[in-house]
């Protein structure tokens, strides 16, 4: 494994990539922004954005966190011109972070073709100006997230616990590791609270899962999908325990909400279910919505486990796909970085966990994942609302103050 080198940012964090983000600020600007990225023809130019026309505190916070993510070296904002998103506030925030940033307003730039040309020129300039120096980077500066998608009957006995083994090794080296989501951990609240480093944090974890259960009950659905049943899962409890196994065995150091950056090494639970009464429909309408929220918390890399199969990657942070089912791996090997399904034929769980750990470090050192090489840069951001976390959610940080 090569020594880690990170792009040093003005806030002291270090990135493992130096992405130029092209960010549309309303769906009406999506097409133009996408054409700018396509014209740039560069794997390190990524498309992100928020489709809504009406302002939302959560969406602004998320876009700010994403545009100032350590993996981002420069930003082009693309606005239609009449949406309510605070484009000037976001532009100022990005520039204050030390990154070069530009803003194009389609209604002022002359329309589609003109804005695409100006945007392509702006991206080329941003790449020249994005000159953050690379410096040595330690494992304890890494933030790694995990998510499962397309789970089946093999997920909870191969890929998910193997990621848990990887998490334990990362945390032994004081890295920050995030697992989610509370809606897929219903029934695990008691065992998670018992792993919390303080009783107060344990109570916050139980409350977060109870909130998710209420949300799903009111909405009339749960996180157990037809595809899970087709793949051999039989109950919500079975799926929850499988998802829970991704967390490994380390103590839980904190509870975060989207956009909260972990204050130090350790294991953190990310609560992605909105606060208050259900107003926004499904908590996350796809796996990539959850990936975006993990990235907004500073995750450099995402470990994505799948049994049924998934081909997605992500903008900004690379995705390592860990396949749980050996048959799925055989069919989709060009999209899968790790074959955890071989655990079923006798490969030790610890061996696969070590493989994921080493691949995570290689990815952090610059090696591209398969989804990166294939050009996957999926991204989705929707409306939500959250209350700020309290001091009980981050007890170590509160005690340090």
């Amino acid at each position: 494994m090569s020594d880690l080198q990170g792009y040093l940012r003005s806030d002291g964090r270090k990135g493992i990539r130096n992405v130029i983000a092209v960010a549309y600020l309303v769906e009406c600007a999506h097409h133009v922004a996408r054409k700018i990225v396509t014209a740039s023809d560069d794997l390190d130019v990524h498309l992100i954005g928020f489709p809504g026309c009406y302002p939302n505190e959560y969406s602004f916070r998320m876009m700010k966190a994403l545009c100032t993510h350590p993996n981002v070296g420069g930003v082009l904002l693309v606005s239609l011109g009449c949406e309510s998103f605070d484009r000037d506030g976001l532009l100022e925030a990005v520039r204050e972070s030390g990154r070069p940033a530009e803003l194009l307003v389609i209604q002022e730039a002359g329309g589609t073709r003109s804005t695409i040309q100006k945007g392509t020129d702006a991206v080329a300039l941003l790449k020249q100006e994005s000159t953050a120096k690379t410096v040595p980077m330690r494992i304890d500066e890494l933030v790694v997230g995990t998510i499962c998608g397309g789970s089946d009957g093999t997920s909870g006995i191969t890929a998910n616990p193997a990621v848990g083994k990887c998490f334990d090794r990362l945390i032994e080296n004081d890295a920050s590791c995030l697992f989610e989501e509370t809606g897929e951990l219903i029934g695990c609240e008691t065992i998670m609270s018992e792993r919390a480093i303080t009783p107060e944090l344990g109570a916050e974890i139980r409350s977060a899962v109870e909130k998710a259960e209420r949300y799903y009950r009111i909405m009339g659905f749960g996180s157990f999908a037809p595809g899970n049943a087709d793949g051999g899962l039989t109950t919500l409890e079975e799926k929850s325990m499988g998802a829970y196994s991704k967390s490994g065995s380390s103590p839980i150091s904190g509870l975060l909400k989207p956009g909260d950056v972990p204050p130090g090494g350790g294991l953190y639970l990310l609560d992605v279910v909105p606060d208050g009464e259900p107003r926004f429909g499904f908590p996350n309408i796809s796996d990539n919505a959850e990936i975006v929220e993990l990235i907004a918390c500073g995750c450099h890399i995402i470990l994505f486990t799948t049994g049924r199969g998934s081909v997605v990657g992500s903008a900004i942070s690379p995705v390592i796909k860990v396949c749980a089912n050996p048959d799925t791996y055989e069919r989709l090997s060009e999209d899968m970085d790790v074959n955890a399904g071989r655990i079923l034929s006798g490969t030790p769980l610890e061996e696969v966990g070590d493989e994921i750990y080493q691949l995570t470090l290689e990815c952090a050192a610059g090696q591209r994942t398969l989804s990166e090489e294939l050009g996957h840069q999926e991204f989705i951001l929707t409306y939500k609302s959250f209350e700020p976390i309290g001091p009980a959610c981050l007890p170590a940080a509160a005690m340090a103050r």
Side-chain angles (χ1 to χ4, degrees):
M1 196 279 297
S2 303
D3 292 334
L4 301 186
Q5 293 283 315
Y7 295 92
L8 180 62
R9 308 304 180 188
S10 62
D11 62 3
R13 295 189 293 171
K14 298 168 187 175
I16 65 167
R17 299 292 187 268
N18 200 36
V19 167
I20 300 299
V22 178
Y24 59 91
L25 305 182
V26 66
E27 183 62 24
C28 308
H30 188 165
H31 173 79
V32 171
R34 177 162 31 86
K35 287 290 188 178
I36 292 169
V37 172
T38 301
S40 299
D41 192 25
D42 190 324
L43 286 177
D44 292 320
V45 178
H46 293 191
L47 178 67
I48 67 173
F50 176 65
C53 190
Y54 298 99
N56 175 248
E57 182 180 346
Y58 160 81
S59 62
F60 183 86
R61 183 177 187 227
M62 292 288 288
M63 288 294 286
K64 179 181 176 182
L66 294 161
C67 289
T68 59
H69 187 282
N71 284 356
V72 173
V75 179
L76 172 63
L77 304 179
V78 184
S79 161
L80 175 62
C82 55
E83 73 278 359
S84 299
F85 197 98
D86 182 8
R87 58 179 180 265
D88 293 325
L90 182 57
L91 179 66
E92 180 181 1
V94 177
R95 286 176 171 170
E96 285 180 350
S97 76
R99 292 164 175 79
E102 297 295 336
L103 168 66
L104 287 175
V105 181
I106 296 170
Q107 292 172 346
E108 299 172 2
T112 298
R113 291 189 179 89
S114 177
T115 308
I116 292 170
Q117 182 58 59
K118 291 177 180 177
T120 305
D121 294 342
V123 166
L125 184 60
L126 287 168
K127 286 186 67 66
Q128 294 177 16
E129 295 176 344
S130 179
T131 56
K133 63 179 181 179
T134 55
V135 297
M137 184 175 180
R138 304 182 308 272
I139 295 176
D140 64 7
E141 295 175 291
L142 278 177
V143 185
V144 181
T146 188
I147 174 180
C148 48
S151 299
D152 70 3
T154 67
S155 297
I157 53 178
T158 60
N160 290 355
V163 165
K165 293 293 184 182
C166 171
F167 263 27
D168 287 343
R169 285 201 63 183
L170 287 166
I171 293 166
E172 286 173 6
N173 288 282
D174 209 26
S176 301
C177 294
L178 280 65
F179 73 109
E180 53 74 60
E181 70 172 293
T182 48
E184 291 195 349
L185 293 166
I186 294 170
C188 298
E189 57 270 24
T190 299
I191 52 178
M192 288 193 295
S193 66
E194 291 171 350
R195 291 171 60 190
I197 62 174
T198 65
E200 293 78 13
L201 174 59
E204 292 285 351
I205 290 172
R206 288 193 299 272
S207 294
V209 178
E210 289 166 1
K211 177 188 69 172
E213 186 176 9
R214 286 195 305 273
Y215 192 107
Y216 283 145
R217 186 171 60 249
I218 292 170
M219 291 297 296
F221 69 91
S223 64
F224 193 92
N228 300 142
D230 292 343
L233 287 170
T234 60
T235 63
L236 177 60
E237 289 81 3
E238 188 178 21
K239 184 180 181 184
S240 293
M241 287 302 296
Y244 169 75
S245 67
K246 298 196 307 298
S247 66
S249 59
S250 304
I252 298 177
S253 298
L255 175 69
L256 305 175
K257 296 183 182 180
D260 294 326
V261 176
L267 179 65
Y268 299 85
L269 172 62
L270 177 60
D271 175 11
V272 301
V273 176
D275 291 325
E277 294 301 308
R279 292 183 290 152
F280 302 104
F282 292 89
N284 273 319
I285 61 176
S286 72
D287 294 326
N288 277 93
E290 297 169 31
I291 291 175
V292 167
E293 290 176 322
L294 285 165
I295 295 172
C297 293
C299 288
H300 295 94
I301 298 168
I302 305 297
L303 306 179
F304 189 127
T305 67
T306 181
R308 300 299 304 277
S310 175
V311 301
V312 302
S314 177
I316 297 179
S317 295
V319 171
I320 294 173
K321 289 209 283 304
V322 182
C323 189
N325 190 314
D327 294 335
T328 303
Y329 181 84
E330 186 175 347
R331 291 194 305 272
L332 298 174
S333 59
E334 68 177 27
D335 289 278
M336 301 297 159
D337 298 280
V338 178
N339 177 14
R342 67 186 196 276
I343 292 170
L344 297 178
S345 58
T347 301
L349 178 65
E350 290 76 11
E351 181 179 322
V352 178
D354 287 344
E355 179 185 346
I356 300 168
Y357 174 78
Q358 293 299 331
L359 185 56
T360 299
L361 298 187
E362 290 166 5
C363 176
Q367 177 177 311
R368 290 193 185 271
T369 67
L370 291 179
S371 64
E372 283 184 286
E373 291 179 351
L374 290 166
H376 283 282
Q377 297 175 5
E378 286 83 354
F379 184 94
I380 185 168
L381 178 61
T382 59
Y383 283 102
K384 282 188 179 182
S385 179
F386 288 94
E387 298 295 328
I389 58 173
C393 295
L394 293 174
M399 288 184 284
R401 289 196 293 269

